[in-house]
Amino acid sequence: MGPSLGLAIDAENVCLWLNGSKGPVEILKKVNLRVRAGEYVAIVGPSGSGKTMFLSAVAGLEKITSGGLKVFGKTPVPEDPKIGFAMSRDALLPWRTARGNVELSLEALGVPASERRMRAEQALAQVDLLAYADVYRAQLSQGMRQRVALARTLVTNPSLLLLDEPFAALDAQTRILMQERLMKLLGSYEGTVFLVTHDISEAILLADRVIVFSHRPASIAKEIQIPLPRPRSAVHSRSTPEFQKIYEEIWSQLSREFTAEDL
Ligand SMILES: Nc1ncnc2c1ncn2[C@@H]1O[C@H](COP(=O)(O)OP(=O)(O)OP(=O)(O)O)[C@@H](O)[C@H]1O
Ligand SMILES: [Mg+2]
């Protein structure tokens, strides 16, 4: 039993370099982060700072250059059934129905056909889209596509849910409704959530702790605990003074991380 026991993510001095067109580029510089199993953590940071790269490393899709990275005590590998990864582009297959898209995650795990169908329908019911099980991507609104994508990620009941700007493609109002829906869904979820977002309110609503990444090469510029009581409401919580105070604190750090290039 190692020191990583009880940790979903254990990142120690994680450094990551990529080969750019003009030679090696430093992306992550000594990222130190421990996420307890069951904890909800959100990352905000300037565009291009390395948030997606860090998430990809956690998902085993990107190799770190140096340092240590463990997920549930092990070096991450791609296609780990314990990990569910949802991105901002819904990436639904257009030639499959909503149900077919949700079943895809179960096919990858070798779940038998009859069980796949049942579980896919349960997952679609959770996002209120059971009536759309036989509908193709082209006939779904962007918000519905995101809900199918969420069902596809949750259907395997992953222990670690990685969300990379899951609602970035949605308009501001639909996004708030999706945040509300996600929080309701997570009410019956026992795993860990690791969210990357540009939306500070989304980070505060969802997370127990918000991490601010510095500009590239990214390290952790600040960590902010979110002591707001749960359940929180995407519609109502944002207008409270406590919420506003945390928002200002995060924004003041984040705005310091923008470089001349960003402005
Ligand atoms: N193959 C590559 N070679 C070199 N640099 C790359 C490569 N892929 C990405 N990068 C650089 O890595 C940096 C981090 O990218 P990443 O996608 O992690 O940023 P991000 O924080 O997720 O940004 P955003 O908020 O815009 O999604 C960027 O500056 C990008 O230009
Ligand atoms: Mg990104």
Side-chain angles (χ1 to χ4, degrees), residues 144-221:
M144 289 167 161
R145 291 171 190 169
Q146 287 302 137
R147 277 149 67 188
V148 175
L150 207 54
R152 186 179 56 185
T153 309
L154 288 169
V155 73
T156 59
N157 196 20
S159 307
L160 174 59
L161 186 57
L162 303 176
L163 301 171
D164 193 356
E165 301 187 49
F167 309 135
L170 305 178
D171 67 86
Q173 281 153 39
T174 308
R175 188 184 309 170
I176 290 173
L177 296 176
M178 281 298 290
Q179 289 162 351
E180 192 83 3
R181 191 180 283 275
L182 176 64
M183 285 193 293
K184 280 205 188 107
L185 266 177
L186 292 177
S188 57
Y189 174 71
E190 291 181 342
T192 310
V193 179
F194 197 50
L195 166 81
V196 167
T197 181
H198 281 284
D199 184 334
I200 297 176
S201 300
E202 186 169 293
I204 300 171
L205 280 167
L206 198 89
D208 303 316
R209 180 157 57 115
V210 175
I211 309 288
V212 182
F213 260 21
S214 72
H215 53 78
R216 202 187 78 200
S219 54
I220 292 175

Side-chain angles (χ1 to χ4, degrees), residues 44-67:
V44 297
S47 182
S49 58
K51 302 180 298 295
T52 296
M53 284 295 157
F54 185 68
L55 220 57
S56 303
V58 170
L61 303 172
E62 204 62 59
K63 272 213 158 41
I64 63 171
T65 311
S66 66

Side-chain angles (χ1 to χ4, degrees), residues 81 84 99 101-107 109 111 115-124 126 148-158 161:
R99 186 200 291 109
N101 270 284
V102 177
E103 282 194 33
L104 205 60
S105 319
L106 298 170
E107 281 168 33
L109 297 180
V111 176
E115 188 186 334
R116 278 204 309 264
R117 189 184 171 97
M118 192 187 70
R119 284 173 63 179
E121 290 184 353
Q122 278 172 354
L124 283 169
Q126 275 191 311
V148 175
L150 207 54
R152 186 179 56 185
T153 309
L154 288 169
V155 73
T156 59
N157 196 20
L161 186 57

Side-chain angles (χ1 to χ4, degrees), residues 19 22 27 29 42 44 65-66 118 124 132 139 142 196 201 228 234:
N19 286 316
K22 294 180 207 146
I27 309 290
K29 187 176 191 163
V44 297
T65 311
S66 66
M118 192 187 70
L124 283 169
Y132 291 82
Q139 278 84 48
Q142 197 56 43
V196 167
S201 300
L228 300 177

